[in-house]
Amino acid sequence: MIGATPMQPACGATIQCMTPRKPPASRKHIKGKKPARAVPRAASQTPELVIITGMSGSGKASVLKAFEDLGYYCVDNLPVELIPRFAEMAVQSTEIRRTALVVDVREGSKLEQFPGILSAVRRMIPTKVAFLEASDAVLLRRFSETRRPHPLGNDTPVNASLKAERRHLASIRALADFVIDTSKFNVHELRAHITARFREQTAEKSILISCVSFGFRHGVPAEADLVFDVRFLPNPHFVPEFRPLTGLDPRVVKYIRSFPQSREFISRISDLLIYLLPHYINEGKSYLTVSFGCTGGQHRSVMIAEEVGKRLHKAGYRLKTVHRDMPR
C-alpha cells in the first residue's frame, strides 16, 4: 500500500544486527605442511533471514522490494508453517544466502504459531524480525487514498480493524529486533533507509538525522527527539531589512553568525550531537529528529538547523533538513 501512495515526510526505528556465524576451521593438514588457515565467509555469504511483519498499510511491500533490490531472495505472505522449510533451504543452498519474507495478519489464526516457529528458526539461521507500524491517523489516510479494504474484512470499519490488528500483533511486535514507524517516512525515504541499513551491514553511521526548525508559537514538533531553544540569540525580526527574509538568506546568516554566542552554540551543539550519535546507534536507534525552535520559526531556528546539519553531514551522517514554519 505504501508503494502506491507517497507518505508525508518527517522522521525513529530500532535495528539490532546479529553477529554472523563463522565456519569451523578444518583440523586436517598434510604432514610437513602448515595447516591452511580458515578463511571466514564474507558477510554476504553468511546465511541470513529477515522476517518482515507489522500493520497493514505500514509499507511491508515497499520494504520487501528494497530487500529484493539488495539481492535478497524474497517471498511475500509465506504461510508460517513453511518458514522452517524456507530457512532450511537458505542454510543448504549454495546460491541463495540472504533471504527475506513477509508474514502478517493475512495468516489469520495460524499467526499464533509464529513465536514458536521463530524460536525454532533462530536455532537454524541468524534471523531478524522487522516490525512495521504507523499511527492510526496515517494508516486510515492510506486506506482512504488507495481505497483498498483492510485484510480483516469489509464488514468492519477500518479504524476498528486497525485496533483489532494491533491487539493481534502485540506479541509478535514484542519479538521484533527492530520497529519502524513508517508514518514518518515517505516511500522513497523508507526504501533508502532500509537500503542504507542492510547494504552489507557496513553503515556504522547509517542513522538518519532530521534537523527541524520550528516556531514555538506554532507548537513543538510531535516527532522531536531532542529540542533546543534558540530564542536567546539576537532576533533578526527586529532589524527592518531582515524582517521579510528567512534564515536561509546569506545576509541573515551573516547577522546571526556575527554574535559570538551564535558561533559557540553551533559548535557546542554539533560537538554534543557527534558525541551522542554513536551511543544512540549502539542502543539501536536508526533515526533521530533534532529540533531547533525560535519564536516564529523564520530566522534563528532556520539558520541554526542548517548550520548544525552541515556539520553533522560533514561528520559522515545521513541528514535531511526540514523548516516546518518558515514562510514559503
Side-chain angles (χ1 to χ4, degrees):
M1 186 171 301
I2 190 174
T5 304
M7 297 181 288
Q8 295 297 321
C11 310
T14 304
I15 297 186
Q16 299 177 357
C17 298
M18 301 180 66
T19 304
R21 299 181 301 179
K22 295 182 179 180
S26 173
R27 296 181 179 178
K28 295 182 179 180
H29 64 278
I30 300 174
K31 187 176 181 180
K33 291 186 178 181
K34 294 182 179 180
R37 185 172 57 183
V39 180
R41 288 174 177 164
S44 61
Q45 294 302 309
T46 302
E48 175 189 2
L49 172 62
V50 179
I51 299 177
I52 304 161
T53 186
M55 295 292 294
S56 300
S58 60
K60 296 185 296 292
S62 291
V63 169
L64 189 67
K65 181 61 178 176
F67 277 108
E68 185 178 358
D69 292 344
L70 287 171
Y72 283 71
Y73 183 90
C74 297
V75 178
D76 187 16
N77 199 25
L78 184 72
V80 291
E81 303 101 315
L82 296 181
I83 295 178
R85 182 70 187 94
F86 184 80
E88 184 181 355
M89 176 201 71
V91 171
Q92 296 177 351
S93 175
T94 58
E95 297 180 359
I96 301 173
R97 311 303 291 169
R98 308 174 81 196
T99 54
L101 58 89
V102 169
V103 175
D104 56 31
V105 77
R106 291 173 290 178
E107 278 289 283
S109 61
K110 294 182 180 179
L111 202 58
E112 296 175 2
Q113 304 174 30
F114 181 78
I117 290 175
L118 175 63
S119 179
V121 167
R122 278 179 163 161
R123 292 193 291 267
M124 300 168 53
I125 183 173
T127 303
K128 305 181 188 74
V129 176
F131 189 96
L132 276 61
E133 62 184 7
S135 67
D136 284 350
V138 170
L139 293 175
L140 283 169
R141 174 174 55 79
R142 293 178 191 165
F143 276 103
S144 174
E145 290 175 348
T146 59
R147 300 181 181 179
R148 295 183 61 185
H150 191 279
L152 292 183
N154 297 319
D155 300 332
T156 306
V158 174
N159 59 346
S161 295
L162 290 174
K163 287 181 173 58
E165 185 178 15
R166 286 194 192 279
R167 291 194 300 270
H168 194 52
L169 296 176
S171 60
I172 295 177
R173 187 184 188 278
L175 298 173
D177 295 286
F178 60 93
V179 177
I180 302 178
D181 183 347
T182 66
S183 54
K184 300 178 180 181
F185 285 114
N186 63 36
V187 63
H188 306 293
E189 291 170 338
L190 176 58
R191 291 185 62 175
H193 178 73
I194 294 297
T195 299
R197 291 309 305 241
F198 285 87
R199 185 187 292 117
E200 301 304 325
Q201 301 295 330
T202 59
E204 178 188 349
K205 295 185 177 182
S206 61
I207 188 171
L208 174 63
I209 304 165
S210 180
C211 283
V212 179
S213 70
F214 71 95
F216 276 99
R217 69 166 59 140
H218 305 295
V220 177
E223 70 274 14
D225 295 302
L226 299 173
V227 177
F228 296 99
D229 186 343
V230 300
R231 287 175 293 185
F232 70 93
L233 298 176
N235 193 348
H237 175 79
F238 297 111
V239 180
E241 64 181 289
F242 296 153
R243 186 169 298 176
L245 306 177
T246 73
L248 297 179
D249 191 284
R251 291 165 290 181
V252 175
V253 172
K254 183 178 180 181
Y255 172 79
I256 298 174
R257 186 182 283 280
S258 67
F259 297 94
Q261 60 265 42
S262 300
R263 300 191 299 272
E264 185 173 0
F265 178 80
I266 293 170
S267 178
R268 286 178 177 264
I269 292 300
S270 299
D271 290 344
L272 173 64
L273 290 171
I274 291 171
Y275 163 75
L276 289 174
L277 287 169
H279 297 285
Y280 281 125
I281 293 172
N282 290 339
E283 286 300 313
K285 201 167 186 64
S286 57
Y287 48 87
L288 184 77
T289 302
V290 184
S291 298
F292 300 92
C294 60
T295 304
Q298 178 175 342
H299 297 107
R300 293 167 292 180
S301 61
V302 172
M303 182 270 191
I304 296 296
E306 287 285 333
E307 292 298 312
V308 172
K310 289 175 183 177
R311 296 200 178 198
L312 296 179
H313 178 71
K314 186 177 180 180
Y317 292 97
R318 292 189 300 132
L319 192 98
K320 69 174 183 176
T321 306
V322 178
H323 301 303
R324 192 192 69 177
D325 301 323
M326 185 183 72
R328 299 291 184 263

